[in-house]
Amino acid sequence: MKSKLLTPELHRQHLELTRRYFMQLGAMGIAAMSTLPLRAKDSDEVLLADVTEDLEYLTQANEFGTVERGKPLPYKLPLEKRLELGLERKTWKLEVIPDPKSNTQITNPLSRKKGNALDFEALMKLAETHSVKFLKIMSCNNMSKPLGMGLWEGVPLRHVIWKTNPQANIRRVFYYGHHNEDPKQLFQSSLPIGRALEDPPGDHPVILCYKLNGQWLSGRRGGPVRMLVPDAYGFKSVKWLKSVILTNNYQANDTYAGGNNDIASWMKTMARFIYLPRREKANEPIAVTGLVQVGVGSLSKVQVWITPQDKAWREDDPYFTKAPWQDAQILPPPTNWGGDLPEGKLPADVLGFTKEGKPKHWPMRYAIAHWATLIKGMKPGKYFVYCRTIDSKGNAQPMPRPFKKSGRNAIQKTEIEIG
Ligand SMILES: Nc1nc2c(c(=O)[nH]1)N[C@H]1C(S)=C(S)[C@@H](COP(=O)(O)O)O[C@H]1N2
Ligand SMILES: [Mo]
């Protein structure tokens, strides 16, 4: 059984949820969930509202997967040292300066040397009028499952850039985290200036992030302040942020470029299994559930395909585009978002949500969606089970793509024995 695909706590809650979901469906004598009309009847609405009640969509701060470098890790330094280095809110400072190797012109650099770098108080002053909150999945392009989803809060980076009074010759923003003054430990990333200054339709701003799920960002999660790039994989979201450099260099400086990664890729849509029994009796309905990382292409369908292990698939179709995929059901947004939010409720001012806390679209890009289905009428034997997504344009995601480095999103394969 592929069970440890989420954090243990999330997994436990998902099992609890789906067990109740499937029990109720059984009691109602519904043939298959994929044929269940989502909003057709009040009773379905009630049923779905009930069963999604306990499911955690937001990951608790300490349950996130972590990708980090640093010896020692900055947040494990003694408090005194952290205060000295500006790794606490009390002493944190961000410099926003021109690249000395470039011809960038700004008339008001915020510099540590000049003593006018942006401190936390000044960031909070900006937050009074400019702070935003949104959901985002943290996902490493090199990993097969998301690290977690957060409700992130911050000030759009552009407000800090405007403070420097930019004049000319800026094409990129370079930014750096604290790495013990050791060049080998440096973790850096960059964006085109245009992405910092404007957001594509429907996208959220790049933010200087200081809160996760309503709490101050912990050192482990990159606090006091990390960059957060909503549409990108995790490596753009630099932790322990201390420097922003405006440059006329048109080339990326990203640490991840050195790892053979496509550093300009948007987050991709992909489906993962969460729950699938390892064994099931013949002709018993098989409950299957999972999650979707909803990427730039959004999501219209989740599909599952079960096929006997001893029957090889046609060699001319390595991505199973012609396989008899079955639609699963995408679960509606939850009423309880989890993540240690009080009563699981989102605050009133989350981007993409109405004042009543309802998402304007669902599934929502860069947020997680859950799915479930029943596979019925299986005969004894060993099977492979696959899951995939269809994006909003009707393309199977992952599209046929033999390489991983622009974001790993393979069609997941698992096994079941019926007998
Ligand atoms: N300073 C710093 N920031 C960093 C990293 C790092 O090693 N150092 N890792 C990056 C990578 S590769 C990823 S995938 C994300 C992971 O974020 P998380 O550890 O909060 O889940 O952080 C990014 N930010
Ligand atoms: Mo990463």
Side-chain angles (χ1 to χ4, degrees), residues 176-189:
Y176 305 80
H178 176 78
H179 280 89
N180 302 315
E181 316 306 327
D182 174 0
K184 281 201 266 12
Q185 296 183 33
L186 200 64
F187 192 84
Q188 59 191 36
S189 189

mmCIF file with all atom_site columns, all heavy atoms in Angstrom, residues 176-189:
data_model
loop_
_atom_site.group_PDB
_atom_site.id
_atom_site.type_symbol
_atom_site.label_atom_id
_atom_site.label_alt_id
_atom_site.label_comp_id
_atom_site.label_asym_id
_atom_site.label_entity_id
_atom_site.label_seq_id
_atom_site.pdbx_PDB_ins_code
_atom_site.Cartn_x
_atom_site.Cartn_y
_atom_site.Cartn_z
_atom_site.occupancy
_atom_site.B_iso_or_equiv
_atom_site.pdbx_formal_charge
_atom_site.auth_seq_id
_atom_site.auth_comp_id
_atom_site.auth_asym_id
_atom_site.auth_atom_id
_atom_site.pdbx_PDB_model_num
ATOM 1   N N   . TYR A 1 176 ? 19.001 36.486 -2.016 1.00 0.00 ? 176 TYR A N   1
ATOM 2   C CA  . TYR A 1 176 ? 19.894 35.586 -1.277 1.00 0.00 ? 176 TYR A CA  1
ATOM 3   C C   . TYR A 1 176 ? 19.391 35.336 0.140  1.00 0.00 ? 176 TYR A C   1
ATOM 4   O O   . TYR A 1 176 ? 18.884 36.240 0.789  1.00 0.00 ? 176 TYR A O   1
ATOM 5   C CB  . TYR A 1 176 ? 21.299 36.201 -1.160 1.00 0.00 ? 176 TYR A CB  1
ATOM 6   C CG  . TYR A 1 176 ? 21.906 36.581 -2.483 1.00 0.00 ? 176 TYR A CG  1
ATOM 7   C CD1 . TYR A 1 176 ? 21.539 37.775 -3.112 1.00 0.00 ? 176 TYR A CD1 1
ATOM 8   C CD2 . TYR A 1 176 ? 22.817 35.747 -3.102 1.00 0.00 ? 176 TYR A CD2 1
ATOM 9   C CE1 . TYR A 1 176 ? 22.087 38.129 -4.344 1.00 0.00 ? 176 TYR A CE1 1
ATOM 10  C CE2 . TYR A 1 176 ? 23.374 36.090 -4.328 1.00 0.00 ? 176 TYR A CE2 1
ATOM 11  C CZ  . TYR A 1 176 ? 22.992 37.274 -4.946 1.00 0.00 ? 176 TYR A CZ  1
ATOM 12  O OH  . TYR A 1 176 ? 23.527 37.624 -6.156 1.00 0.00 ? 176 TYR A OH  1
ATOM 13  N N   . GLY A 1 177 ? 19.608 34.130 0.599  1.00 0.00 ? 177 GLY A N   1
ATOM 14  C CA  . GLY A 1 177 ? 19.319 33.804 1.987  1.00 0.00 ? 177 GLY A CA  1
ATOM 15  C C   . GLY A 1 177 ? 20.596 33.840 2.806  1.00 0.00 ? 177 GLY A C   1
ATOM 16  O O   . GLY A 1 177 ? 21.694 33.947 2.250  1.00 0.00 ? 177 GLY A O   1
ATOM 17  N N   . HIS A 1 178 ? 20.459 33.741 4.120  1.00 0.00 ? 178 HIS A N   1
ATOM 18  C CA  . HIS A 1 178 ? 21.646 33.679 4.987  1.00 0.00 ? 178 HIS A CA  1
ATOM 19  C C   . HIS A 1 178 ? 22.312 32.315 4.856  1.00 0.00 ? 178 HIS A C   1
ATOM 20  O O   . HIS A 1 178 ? 21.641 31.292 4.950  1.00 0.00 ? 178 HIS A O   1
ATOM 21  C CB  . HIS A 1 178 ? 21.273 33.897 6.458  1.00 0.00 ? 178 HIS A CB  1
ATOM 22  C CG  . HIS A 1 178 ? 22.458 33.741 7.349  1.00 0.00 ? 178 HIS A CG  1
ATOM 23  N ND1 . HIS A 1 178 ? 23.400 34.731 7.493  1.00 0.00 ? 178 HIS A ND1 1
ATOM 24  C CD2 . HIS A 1 178 ? 22.890 32.684 8.095  1.00 0.00 ? 178 HIS A CD2 1
ATOM 25  C CE1 . HIS A 1 178 ? 24.350 34.305 8.301  1.00 0.00 ? 178 HIS A CE1 1
ATOM 26  N NE2 . HIS A 1 178 ? 24.072 33.069 8.689  1.00 0.00 ? 178 HIS A NE2 1
ATOM 27  N N   . HIS A 1 179 ? 23.598 32.316 4.598  1.00 0.00 ? 179 HIS A N   1
ATOM 28  C CA  . HIS A 1 179 ? 24.288 31.032 4.517  1.00 0.00 ? 179 HIS A CA  1
ATOM 29  C C   . HIS A 1 179 ? 25.669 31.072 5.125  1.00 0.00 ? 179 HIS A C   1
ATOM 30  O O   . HIS A 1 179 ? 26.652 30.642 4.517  1.00 0.00 ? 179 HIS A O   1
ATOM 31  C CB  . HIS A 1 179 ? 24.290 30.497 3.083  1.00 0.00 ? 179 HIS A CB  1
ATOM 32  C CG  . HIS A 1 179 ? 22.983 29.858 2.751  1.00 0.00 ? 179 HIS A CG  1
ATOM 33  N ND1 . HIS A 1 179 ? 21.939 30.571 2.226  1.00 0.00 ? 179 HIS A ND1 1
ATOM 34  C CD2 . HIS A 1 179 ? 22.518 28.609 2.955  1.00 0.00 ? 179 HIS A CD2 1
ATOM 35  C CE1 . HIS A 1 179 ? 20.892 29.767 2.092  1.00 0.00 ? 179 HIS A CE1 1
ATOM 36  N NE2 . HIS A 1 179 ? 21.214 28.574 2.528  1.00 0.00 ? 179 HIS A NE2 1
ATOM 37  N N   . ASN A 1 180 ? 25.724 31.579 6.344  1.00 0.00 ? 180 ASN A N   1
ATOM 38  C CA  . ASN A 1 180 ? 26.940 31.502 7.152  1.00 0.00 ? 180 ASN A CA  1
ATOM 39  C C   . ASN A 1 180 ? 28.170 32.105 6.478  1.00 0.00 ? 180 ASN A C   1
ATOM 40  O O   . ASN A 1 180 ? 29.284 31.650 6.704  1.00 0.00 ? 180 ASN A O   1
ATOM 41  C CB  . ASN A 1 180 ? 27.221 30.037 7.542  1.00 0.00 ? 180 ASN A CB  1
ATOM 42  C CG  . ASN A 1 180 ? 26.057 29.421 8.297  1.00 0.00 ? 180 ASN A CG  1
ATOM 43  O OD1 . ASN A 1 180 ? 25.499 30.037 9.190  1.00 0.00 ? 180 ASN A OD1 1
ATOM 44  N ND2 . ASN A 1 180 ? 25.669 28.211 7.931  1.00 0.00 ? 180 ASN A ND2 1
ATOM 45  N N   . GLU A 1 181 ? 27.946 33.103 5.634  1.00 0.00 ? 181 GLU A N   1
ATOM 46  C CA  . GLU A 1 181 ? 29.059 33.799 4.940  1.00 0.00 ? 181 GLU A CA  1
ATOM 47  C C   . GLU A 1 181 ? 29.967 32.819 4.200  1.00 0.00 ? 181 GLU A C   1
ATOM 48  O O   . GLU A 1 181 ? 31.132 33.101 3.955  1.00 0.00 ? 181 GLU A O   1
ATOM 49  C CB  . GLU A 1 181 ? 29.920 34.625 5.925  1.00 0.00 ? 181 GLU A CB  1
ATOM 50  C CG  . GLU A 1 181 ? 29.163 35.458 6.952  1.00 0.00 ? 181 GLU A CG  1
ATOM 51  C CD  . GLU A 1 181 ? 28.140 36.396 6.343  1.00 0.00 ? 181 GLU A CD  1
ATOM 52  O OE1 . GLU A 1 181 ? 28.357 36.890 5.232  1.00 0.00 ? 181 GLU A OE1 1
ATOM 53  O OE2 . GLU A 1 181 ? 27.105 36.607 7.004  1.00 0.00 ? 181 GLU A OE2 1
ATOM 54  N N   . ASP A 1 182 ? 29.437 31.681 3.852  1.00 0.00 ? 182 ASP A N   1
ATOM 55  C CA  . ASP A 1 182 ? 30.236 30.663 3.174  1.00 0.00 ? 182 ASP A CA  1
ATOM 56  C C   . ASP A 1 182 ? 29.684 30.520 1.753  1.00 0.00 ? 182 ASP A C   1
ATOM 57  O O   . ASP A 1 182 ? 28.563 30.059 1.562  1.00 0.00 ? 182 ASP A O   1
ATOM 58  C CB  . ASP A 1 182 ? 30.115 29.337 3.949  1.00 0.00 ? 182 ASP A CB  1
ATOM 59  C CG  . ASP A 1 182 ? 30.798 28.186 3.242  1.00 0.00 ? 182 ASP A CG  1
ATOM 60  O OD1 . ASP A 1 182 ? 31.377 28.402 2.142  1.00 0.00 ? 182 ASP A OD1 1
ATOM 61  O OD2 . ASP A 1 182 ? 30.738 27.068 3.775  1.00 0.00 ? 182 ASP A OD2 1
ATOM 62  N N   . PRO A 1 183 ? 30.474 30.940 0.741  1.00 0.00 ? 183 PRO A N   1
ATOM 63  C CA  . PRO A 1 183 ? 29.958 30.921 -0.639 1.00 0.00 ? 183 PRO A CA  1
ATOM 64  C C   . PRO A 1 183 ? 29.441 29.543 -1.050 1.00 0.00 ? 183 PRO A C   1
ATOM 65  O O   . PRO A 1 183 ? 28.510 29.448 -1.833 1.00 0.00 ? 183 PRO A O   1
ATOM 66  C CB  . PRO A 1 183 ? 31.172 31.313 -1.486 1.00 0.00 ? 183 PRO A CB  1
ATOM 67  C CG  . PRO A 1 183 ? 32.190 31.853 -0.556 1.00 0.00 ? 183 PRO A CG  1
ATOM 68  C CD  . PRO A 1 183 ? 31.844 31.422 0.843  1.00 0.00 ? 183 PRO A CD  1
ATOM 69  N N   . LYS A 1 184 ? 30.032 28.521 -0.492 1.00 0.00 ? 184 LYS A N   1
ATOM 70  C CA  . LYS A 1 184 ? 29.605 27.161 -0.856 1.00 0.00 ? 184 LYS A CA  1
ATOM 71  C C   . LYS A 1 184 ? 28.196 26.848 -0.343 1.00 0.00 ? 184 LYS A C   1
ATOM 72  O O   . LYS A 1 184 ? 27.534 25.953 -0.843 1.00 0.00 ? 184 LYS A O   1
ATOM 73  C CB  . LYS A 1 184 ? 30.602 26.128 -0.307 1.00 0.00 ? 184 LYS A CB  1
ATOM 74  C CG  . LYS A 1 184 ? 31.857 26.025 -1.171 1.00 0.00 ? 184 LYS A CG  1
ATOM 75  C CD  . LYS A 1 184 ? 32.575 24.733 -0.953 1.00 0.00 ? 184 LYS A CD  1
ATOM 76  C CE  . LYS A 1 184 ? 33.635 24.698 0.002  1.00 0.00 ? 184 LYS A CE  1
ATOM 77  N NZ  . LYS A 1 184 ? 34.382 25.077 0.948  1.00 0.00 ? 184 LYS A NZ  1
ATOM 78  N N   . GLN A 1 185 ? 27.782 27.576 0.689  1.00 0.00 ? 185 GLN A N   1
ATOM 79  C CA  . GLN A 1 185 ? 26.461 27.320 1.272  1.00 0.00 ? 185 GLN A CA  1
ATOM 80  C C   . GLN A 1 185 ? 25.387 28.261 0.727  1.00 0.00 ? 185 GLN A C   1
ATOM 81  O O   . GLN A 1 185 ? 24.219 28.137 1.073  1.00 0.00 ? 185 GLN A O   1
ATOM 82  C CB  . GLN A 1 185 ? 26.508 27.469 2.800  1.00 0.00 ? 185 GLN A CB  1
ATOM 83  C CG  . GLN A 1 185 ? 27.394 26.450 3.480  1.00 0.00 ? 185 GLN A CG  1
ATOM 84  C CD  . GLN A 1 185 ? 27.343 26.604 4.993  1.00 0.00 ? 185 GLN A CD  1
ATOM 85  O OE1 . GLN A 1 185 ? 26.325 26.969 5.566  1.00 0.00 ? 185 GLN A OE1 1
ATOM 86  N NE2 . GLN A 1 185 ? 28.461 26.329 5.629  1.00 0.00 ? 185 GLN A NE2 1
ATOM 87  N N   . LEU A 1 186 ? 25.813 29.193 -0.120 1.00 0.00 ? 186 LEU A N   1
ATOM 88  C CA  . LEU A 1 186 ? 24.893 30.203 -0.626 1.00 0.00 ? 186 LEU A CA  1
ATOM 89  C C   . LEU A 1 186 ? 23.726 29.561 -1.372 1.00 0.00 ? 186 LEU A C   1
ATOM 90  O O   . LEU A 1 186 ? 23.915 28.639 -2.160 1.00 0.00 ? 186 LEU A O   1
ATOM 91  C CB  . LEU A 1 186 ? 25.666 31.113 -1.586 1.00 0.00 ? 186 LEU A CB  1
ATOM 92  C CG  . LEU A 1 186 ? 25.066 32.479 -1.873 1.00 0.00 ? 186 LEU A CG  1
ATOM 93  C CD1 . LEU A 1 186 ? 25.027 33.318 -0.605 1.00 0.00 ? 186 LEU A CD1 1
ATOM 94  C CD2 . LEU A 1 186 ? 25.887 33.172 -2.941 1.00 0.00 ? 186 LEU A CD2 1
ATOM 95  N N   . PHE A 1 187 ? 22.510 30.040 -1.095 1.00 0.00 ? 187 PHE A N   1
ATOM 96  C CA  . PHE A 1 187 ? 21.359 29.615 -1.891 1.00 0.00 ? 187 PHE A CA  1
ATOM 97  C C   . PHE A 1 187 ? 20.714 30.867 -2.453 1.00 0.00 ? 187 PHE A C   1
ATOM 98  O O   . PHE A 1 187 ? 20.344 31.771 -1.723 1.00 0.00 ? 187 PHE A O   1
ATOM 99  C CB  . PHE A 1 187 ? 20.354 28.820 -1.059 1.00 0.00 ? 187 PHE A CB  1
ATOM 100 C CG  . PHE A 1 187 ? 19.336 28.138 -1.937 1.00 0.00 ? 187 PHE A CG  1
ATOM 101 C CD1 . PHE A 1 187 ? 19.615 26.918 -2.521 1.00 0.00 ? 187 PHE A CD1 1
ATOM 102 C CD2 . PHE A 1 187 ? 18.121 28.742 -2.203 1.00 0.00 ? 187 PHE A CD2 1
ATOM 103 C CE1 . PHE A 1 187 ? 18.692 26.293 -3.362 1.00 0.00 ? 187 PHE A CE1 1
ATOM 104 C CE2 . PHE A 1 187 ? 17.196 28.139 -3.047 1.00 0.00 ? 187 PHE A CE2 1
ATOM 105 C CZ  . PHE A 1 187 ? 17.480 26.909 -3.621 1.00 0.00 ? 187 PHE A CZ  1
ATOM 106 N N   . GLN A 1 188 ? 20.641 30.930 -3.754 1.00 0.00 ? 188 GLN A N   1
ATOM 107 C CA  . GLN A 1 188 ? 20.156 32.150 -4.385 1.00 0.00 ? 188 GLN A CA  1
ATOM 108 C C   . GLN A 1 188 ? 19.199 31.840 -5.522 1.00 0.00 ? 188 GLN A C   1
ATOM 109 O O   . GLN A 1 188 ? 19.202 30.753 -6.082 1.00 0.00 ? 188 GLN A O   1
ATOM 110 C CB  . GLN A 1 188 ? 21.330 32.987 -4.895 1.00 0.00 ? 188 GLN A CB  1
ATOM 111 C CG  . GLN A 1 188 ? 22.194 32.253 -5.909 1.00 0.00 ? 188 GLN A CG  1
ATOM 112 C CD  . GLN A 1 188 ? 23.483 33.005 -6.185 1.00 0.00 ? 188 GLN A CD  1
ATOM 113 O OE1 . GLN A 1 188 ? 24.067 33.620 -5.296 1.00 0.00 ? 188 GLN A OE1 1
ATOM 114 N NE2 . GLN A 1 188 ? 23.940 32.959 -7.423 1.00 0.00 ? 188 GLN A NE2 1
ATOM 115 N N   . SER A 1 189 ? 18.384 32.810 -5.822 1.00 0.00 ? 189 SER A N   1
ATOM 116 C CA  . SER A 1 189 ? 17.440 32.651 -6.913 1.00 0.00 ? 189 SER A CA  1
ATOM 117 C C   . SER A 1 189 ? 17.166 34.019 -7.520 1.00 0.00 ? 189 SER A C   1
ATOM 118 O O   . SER A 1 189 ? 17.720 35.029 -7.072 1.00 0.00 ? 189 SER A O   1
ATOM 119 C CB  . SER A 1 189 ? 16.168 31.987 -6.392 1.00 0.00 ? 189 SER A CB  1
ATOM 120 O OG  . SER A 1 189 ? 15.318 31.644 -7.459 1.00 0.00 ? 189 SER A OG  1
#
